[in-house]
Amino acid sequence: MRSKPAQTINRSDYTPPAFLVDEIELEFDLEAACTRVRSTLRVRRNGTAAGPLVLDGEDLRLVELRLDDRLVPATGFTLDEAGLTIHDCPPSAVITLVNEIAPELNTALEGLYLSNGNFLTQCEAQGFRRITFFPDRPDVMARYRVMVRAERSSCPVLLANGNLLDQGECSGDRPGWHWALWEDPFPKPCYLFALVAGRFAVREQRVTTSSGREVLLQAWVEPGNEARSAHALESLVRAIAWDEQRFGLELDLERFMIVATDDFNMGAMENKGLNIFNTKYVFANPRLATDGDFRAIESVVAHEYFHNWTGNRVTCRDWFQLTLKEGLTVFRDQEFSADMRAAQAASPAAAASARTVGRIDDVRALRASQFPEDSGPMAHPIRPESYREINNFYTTTVYEKGAEVVRMLQTLVGVEGFRKGIECYFARHDGQAVTCDDFVAAIAAANGRGLGQFARWYSRAGTPVVEAHSSYDSARQEFTLTLTQYSGDGLPPLQIPFAFGLVGDDGRDVPLRIAGEAASPGAEGTDTDSEGTHTLVLDLSEAERRFVFADVPPGCVPSLLRGFSAPVIVAADYSDDQLSFLASNDPDPFNRWEATQSLALRAVLAVLAGAAPAAAGAALLAAWRHCLGDESLDPEFREQLTALPPEAVIAEHVEVIDPVALRNARNSLRRELANSLATVWPQLWRSLRDPGPYRRAAAASARRALRNAALSYWVATGEQAAFAAAAAQCRDADNMTDRAAALQALTNSAAPEREPALAAFAAEFHDEPLALDKWFAIQATMHRQAGEPPVLGRVRGLLRHPAFSLRNPNRVRALIGSFCHGNAAELHAADASGCAFWIEQVLALDAINPQVAARIARAFERWPKYPPERRHAMRSALLVVAEQSDLSADVREIVDRSLAQ
């Protein structure tokens, strides 16, 4: 299956559809080689909109076309590779179509396809056009009634969106077949259509909603995996209760279903009432899933459920508005996850620490992925202005930066104000396809404030920089903070909520009062207690603004952008002593982590510039000693404080990216820190071990996080005792968290136990695809030790492993994706062997699954930032791919944008 050539589509070119579809009835006769689809559309002209009835369709064989039950002659329509156009459709009509498709040939996993003999669909963004002819655009919302027929022996389970109306046995010429009739009472765009048929087992639970309705929750999995879906189903129950409590939003169907499949291009899909999930985000037990996996499953299950309102009941007018549903829903799942972390904590202090750890995880991911995207050829606003292939814009900018923009809205209007805004949004737009502007307008109207300047965030690409300069007048006891924003030459300023605090020389927050005011302004997002305001959200709405604070004692250190209140880069003139002070004392835990990250970044850059690791890391080492010795801090927070910035983040702070030199500098500093604390690591590793079997409690998970970090640093010292401890943990652990951490530590070392540990892991988990994905990824991202052959040779060998398949996106992401996106030092080897590998894999994948190929293709988009010899090799590789005549639109857009720099 190949994608058709794509032209650039511009947001400004939007025109309403000429026709709307009120209802669609679908009938499926499911067979792998040839599925017949009969669709009946009740259409009407959309007001005064002009034009013929255009029905999108790709890779479909048209069998029959009727208009108001009369066959349409060949002169009455045009059929081409893009779809079907009916020239003289009356203002109101019933269109009946019959077409055929071949699910077994669909390797792109868009539309209707087969996975292990089961039928599944994926229709977002434009997969429905590969099922039947239809106006495949999100602003056409219809009610669906779906009849599914299939052979009972191969497809005992038949599912579709909505509520099950009836089911039974087929009669006549289909002996052994059965049918099920489903109806979704709510209008939806076709990208939310879903069908599942095959051999599945179910785990289910009934819950009562806040209005007293009993609803059925189901998790459908391949037989034998029912127990592995327990955590996902529990997460769904928690998500439903949370959405009722936080936003007053109740499940609106009689049942809600989750289906797990191993063949899926994404993490999950929010089809109305029938969510289809990658098994990675459903299957969980301690043997197979890490603590991080358990949290990710809870988050993704919640995310897809929350789409039931933010994305399904109100959806996007067009795909340029994708962040309307995705940014908002990522924010909602982040808030849910923070509340779930806090709910497990044993004390208010532990709850605050748990929230901070979650926030750190979110920001770390944003900086490692979205910040580089903002400075590369794929840079785009959270609401893009143009695209050629919409699949390429399911990005961290649209999702994660979009969530940060929504978070800023909540900061500006407050938690209660934000809920009022959400209520206004649904009161105005339930059942509609709308725009980002409609969402911001609802928040503004509910809170009686203008947000016109804030709305610029939706159309501004790039990461803004805020320069912060401070001075102190000891005579007047006034502290002056000057903030200057840079977000594009000649562009008007953004509205940036900038959270600020002052830390006194005793390590406590100083009450804040702006000079000339009787008290702090009390703006939303401020942190105030009986002693005064400790954190003040400053409104930076001008290119430059000066804030003067009164009654400030000497010796205070500014704490900037607390809680990461805006997705910006702060350029501040901190000294090492000030950062060290904040790293040990800042009452704001996020900024305490931020200070350690700044010290670590400075140290790596200094080593990269030629400084000795011991000298470069002295201040960081002191901060680490302090935090590791402070047992009042949550163990997981201490683990975050002692984590070095990832290579991708460091790369954003150098003019030229030499991936080998960067890795060597980071690893040199890491070894120096490990050796300097050589007695601390084994002590922590032993003291944090929990007696008894694995427990998933928050406190136990936090101890495992710090314990495994300690093991990793201990192994980095090269001590044989550390190698033996890691090997024993990898062999004897009763949970994947400890086992995978030990295996990764060994793999990134010269330990003689490394290869036996890898072999033992593969043997034990030979029939567990998700566990083997971890095994693939650990090896693909390994750091080569002195004298060892390039990692690429190992990766090529793993391509031949019986568990690997180019047709499975999970396997590809685990091995090829991990190598190309997570091992730059090995990918960009001096002999250009990595470039040859990249060409091979992109072209091979493009013939199978263009979406997955495009993700791999993005590994070379930053080529102009590399040294000349690597830059030349990367550009040459891009040109080889660009010269292919049958390249998909997905990969073509990535390669063309990369070369256009």
Side-chain angles (χ1 to χ4, degrees):
M1 182 183 297
R2 306 297 295 161
S3 300
K4 67 182 188 306
Q7 296 181 334
T8 298
I9 300 171
N10 299 303
R11 184 169 70 90
S12 59
D13 294 338
Y14 171 83
T15 56
F19 283 83
L20 300 176
V21 181
D22 292 321
E23 297 178 3
I24 176 172
E25 296 181 5
L26 290 163
E27 297 180 42
F28 290 85
D29 293 314
L30 295 176
E31 294 185 90
C34 182
T35 287
R36 178 162 286 206
V37 184
R38 180 185 179 89
S39 54
T40 302
L41 287 61
R42 289 169 174 81
V43 305
R44 59 182 169 86
R45 184 165 288 282
N46 183 17
T48 60
L53 174 59
V54 177
L55 305 176
D56 300 296
E58 293 179 14
D59 299 306
L60 308 176
R61 177 178 175 269
L62 180 63
V63 176
E64 183 177 287
L65 172 62
R66 290 179 176 271
L67 193 159
D68 291 330
D69 207 30
R70 295 188 299 273
L71 282 172
V72 179
T75 56
F77 66 93
T78 300
L79 179 65
D80 58 28
E81 64 176 9
L84 178 67
T85 300
I86 300 176
H87 302 300
D88 297 312
C89 185
S92 179
V94 176
I95 308 296
T96 304
L97 304 110
V98 178
N99 66 274
E100 293 175 342
I101 52 177
E104 68 180 7
L105 301 180
N106 184 354
T107 62
L109 310 185
E110 293 181 89
L112 180 66
Y113 65 94
L114 282 178
S115 171
N116 197 24
N118 297 319
F119 292 88
L120 299 111
T121 57
Q122 171 55 35
C123 294
E124 188 176 0
Q126 296 175 334
F128 194 73
R129 64 186 64 191
R130 294 181 171 179
I131 295 175
T132 192
F133 295 96
F134 194 81
D136 191 352
R137 45 189 294 167
D139 56 354
V140 175
M141 302 177 72
R143 288 182 171 83
Y144 283 66
R145 177 175 284 217
V146 181
M147 169 68 76
V148 186
R149 290 184 287 262
E151 190 175 24
R152 180 179 285 279
S153 61
S154 60
C155 294
V157 174
L158 306 174
L159 307 175
N161 306 87
N163 301 318
L164 178 64
L165 297 183
D166 202 359
Q167 56 189 330
E169 303 300 317
C170 293
S171 57
D173 62 350
R174 295 209 180 261
W177 281 51
H178 67 138
W179 58 269
L181 180 62
W182 295 81
E183 183 178 65
D184 187 346
F186 298 97
K188 64 173 179 282
C190 65
Y191 80 84
L192 292 172
F193 169 78
L195 178 153
V196 173
R199 295 185 181 91
F200 292 95
V202 67
R203 186 183 187 95
E204 60 186 28
Q205 180 177 345
R206 293 186 180 274
V207 299
T208 302
T209 68
S210 57
S211 68
R213 291 187 305 111
E214 185 178 78
V215 295
L216 177 63
L217 310 180
Q218 296 179 313
W220 294 90
V221 297
E222 292 187 7
N225 291 310
E226 296 90 328
R228 297 180 179 187
S229 66
H231 175 65
L233 199 60
E234 293 164 2
S235 300
L236 177 60
V237 172
R238 289 191 290 271
I240 290 171
W242 183 88
D243 217 18
E244 290 178 343
Q245 184 273 327
R246 176 70 182 268
F247 289 107
L249 300 175
E250 183 178 297
L251 176 58
D252 54 5
L253 294 169
E254 297 170 5
R255 72 170 71 196
F256 191 93
M257 299 171 282
I258 287 173
V259 178
T261 175
D262 193 44
D263 294 294
F264 204 66
N265 282 341
M266 305 182 218
M269 177 61 209
E270 70 266 20
N271 315 298
K272 182 72 177 179
L274 180 56
N275 290 184
I276 298 178
F277 273 68
N278 191 319
T279 52
K280 178 178 180 179
Y281 295 108
V282 174
F283 290 176
N285 63 36
R287 179 174 175 267
L288 297 176
T290 64
D291 294 336
D293 292 333
F294 275 100
R295 286 192 293 268
I297 289 168
E298 181 179 64
S299 174
V300 174
V301 167
H303 179 98
E304 304 308 327
Y305 172 73
F306 296 154
H307 268 312
N308 190 54
W309 282 88
T310 51
N312 296 3
R313 287 287 288 262
V314 179
T315 194
C316 312
R317 185 195 70 179
D318 53 69
W319 289 119
F320 296 103
Q321 318 296 327
L322 183 59
T323 199
L324 173 71
K325 71 183 186 76
E326 295 302 347
L328 174 56
T329 305
V330 169
F331 168 74
R332 277 160 41 78
D333 84 55
Q334 289 175 350
E335 291 287 276
F336 165 78
S337 295
D339 284 348
M340 294 304 102
R341 280 178 180 262
Q344 297 179 48
S347 68
S353 180
R355 289 181 183 277
T356 299
V357 168
R359 184 66 177 139
I360 288 170
D361 286 340
D362 294 338
V363 174
R364 189 193 298 277
L366 186 82
R367 287 175 173 163
S369 181
Q370 195 279 320
F371 277 23
E373 184 170 82
D374 249 349
S375 59
M378 287 295 291
H380 54 277
I382 63 171
R383 180 182 58 199
E385 294 298 325
S386 66
Y387 63 80
R388 276 197 269 169
E389 175 50 67
I390 185 56
N391 288 331
N392 287 332
F393 285 84
Y394 283 73
T395 61
T396 54
T397 297
V398 167
Y399 279 64
E400 278 72 24
K401 185 176 180 179
E404 294 299 323
V405 170
V406 175
R407 184 177 298 277
M408 287 190 290
L409 272 175
Q410 177 173 273
T411 298
L412 290 172
V413 302
V415 173
E416 289 304 314
F418 188 75
R419 173 164 172 161
K420 288 195 303 181
I422 290 291
E423 291 170 351
C424 178
Y425 177 58
F426 287 113
R428 289 181 171 189
H429 300 299
D430 190 14
Q432 298 177 14
V434 300
T435 67
C436 298
D437 292 337
D438 294 320
F439 172 70
V440 175
I443 302 295
N447 290 278
R449 63 180 297 168
L451 292 171
Q453 182 180 2
F454 181 84
R456 293 171 185 165
W457 279 99
Y458 284 86
S459 57
R460 188 73 55 85
T463 305
V465 174
V466 176
E467 285 188 358
H469 297 282
S470 60
S471 62
Y472 180 68
D473 185 330
S474 57
R476 299 172 63 90
Q477 287 200 318
E478 288 184 344
F479 184 96
T480 300
L481 175 70
T482 302
L483 300 177
T484 308
Q485 63 167 292
Y486 303 92
S487 59
D489 293 339
L491 297 175
L494 297 166
Q495 183 176 15
I496 300 174
F498 194 96
F500 172 76
L502 277 172
V503 185
D505 57 10
D506 60 355
R508 301 177 61 189
D509 274 328
V510 171
L512 299 177
R513 181 174 69 84
I514 293 180
E517 298 183 5
S520 65
E524 297 292 353
T526 61
D527 175 17
T528 303
D529 62 18
S530 59
E531 297 181 0
T533 297
H534 297 150
T535 298
L536 185 61
V537 177
L538 306 174
D539 187 354
L540 178 59
S541 298
E542 297 84 28
E544 182 172 289
R545 188 171 179 187
R546 182 170 168 265
F547 301 89
V548 180
F549 298 91
D551 303 323
V552 177
C556 292
V557 179
S559 178
L560 304 171
L561 201 73
R562 284 186 158 180
F564 197 70
S565 60
V568 303
I569 296 169
V570 176
D573 49 0
Y574 282 122
S575 67
D576 281 358
D577 287 344
Q578 287 178 313
L579 288 175
S580 297
F581 175 79
L582 292 174
S584 298
N585 297 285
D586 197 329
D588 183 87
F590 181 90
N591 273 28
R592 190 169 180 177
W593 169 81
E594 187 79 285
T596 64
Q597 290 292 287
S598 297
L599 284 171
L601 179 61
R602 286 187 180 183
V604 174
L605 294 177
V607 174
L608 193 59
L620 180 63
L621 176 62
W624 280 21
R625 284 190 188 278
H626 186 276
C627 82
L628 288 171
D630 187 352
E631 295 190 0
S632 69
L633 297 176
D634 176 76
E636 193 167 17
F637 182 52
R638 283 190 281 167
E639 183 268 331
Q640 293 278 12
L641 290 173
T642 54
L644 293 176
E647 292 174 1
V649 170
I650 300 167
E652 290 303 296
H653 294 269
V654 297
E655 289 295 321
V656 177
I657 301 172
D658 182 335
V660 175
L662 191 154
R663 172 165 294 176
N664 288 339
R666 185 180 184 276
N667 283 348
S668 294
L669 176 67
R670 191 172 188 273
R671 282 192 299 272
E672 177 64 32
L673 293 164
N675 288 323
S676 297
L677 297 166
T679 60
V680 175
W681 309 122
Q683 180 183 354
L684 279 173
W685 181 76
R686 294 186 182 101
S687 66
L688 290 167
R689 180 175 182 175
D690 278 331
Y694 170 89
R695 292 181 301 119
R696 199 161 49 84
S701 173
R703 286 191 294 274
R704 279 190 293 273
L706 182 55
R707 183 172 187 261
N708 286 321
L711 178 63
S712 179
Y713 283 113
W714 188 20
V715 168
T717 67
E719 293 181 13
Q720 184 55 49
F723 296 162
Q729 179 172 308
C730 191
R731 181 186 64 242
D732 301 333
D734 66 349
N735 65 89
M736 182 58 77
T737 304
D738 287 340
R739 177 167 278 166
L743 184 63
Q744 185 157 38
L746 286 172
T747 304
N748 285 328
S749 76
E753 294 89 344
R754 181 180 73 187
E755 298 306 325
L758 285 166
F761 189 99
E764 178 171 348
F765 296 103
H766 68 278
D767 57 350
E768 297 288 357
L770 295 179
L772 286 178
D773 283 345
K774 292 179 170 60
W775 184 75
F776 284 131
I778 285 171
Q779 294 177 84
T781 56
M782 69 186 293
H783 294 197
R784 182 174 18 146
Q785 303 302 305
E788 291 186 341
V791 174
L792 179 56
R794 182 183 291 259
V795 171
R796 286 194 177 278
L798 291 171
L799 290 175
R800 299 188 294 272
H801 192 279
F804 180 80
S805 171
L806 274 180
R807 293 177 179 270
N808 183 276
N810 282 353
R811 306 299 90 78
V812 171
R813 283 187 285 262
L815 182 57
I816 301 173
S818 293
F819 181 73
C820 290
H821 288 289
N823 206 341
E826 296 293 327
L827 176 66
H828 300 298
D831 63 359
S833 56
C835 292
F837 176 80
W838 177 86
I839 293 170
E840 293 168 18
Q841 303 311 315
V842 168
L843 294 181
L845 285 165
D846 196 41
I848 298 169
N849 190 324
Q851 278 192 51
V852 175
R855 294 293 189 265
I856 304 301
R858 292 196 62 181
F860 277 19
E861 66 182 25
R862 304 296 303 282
W863 65 270
K865 283 202 69 172
Y866 284 75
E869 66 281 1
R870 289 187 172 90
R871 188 163 65 232
H872 174 74
M874 295 166 74
R875 185 174 184 275
S876 297
L878 285 162
L879 288 170
V880 169
V881 173
E883 290 167 358
Q884 306 303 308
S885 60
D886 60 346
L887 206 60
S888 71
D890 307 64
V891 174
R892 174 70 64 191
E893 180 171 30
I894 300 298
V895 171
D896 286 354
R897 280 177 173 257
S898 298
L899 287 169
Q901 298 177 87

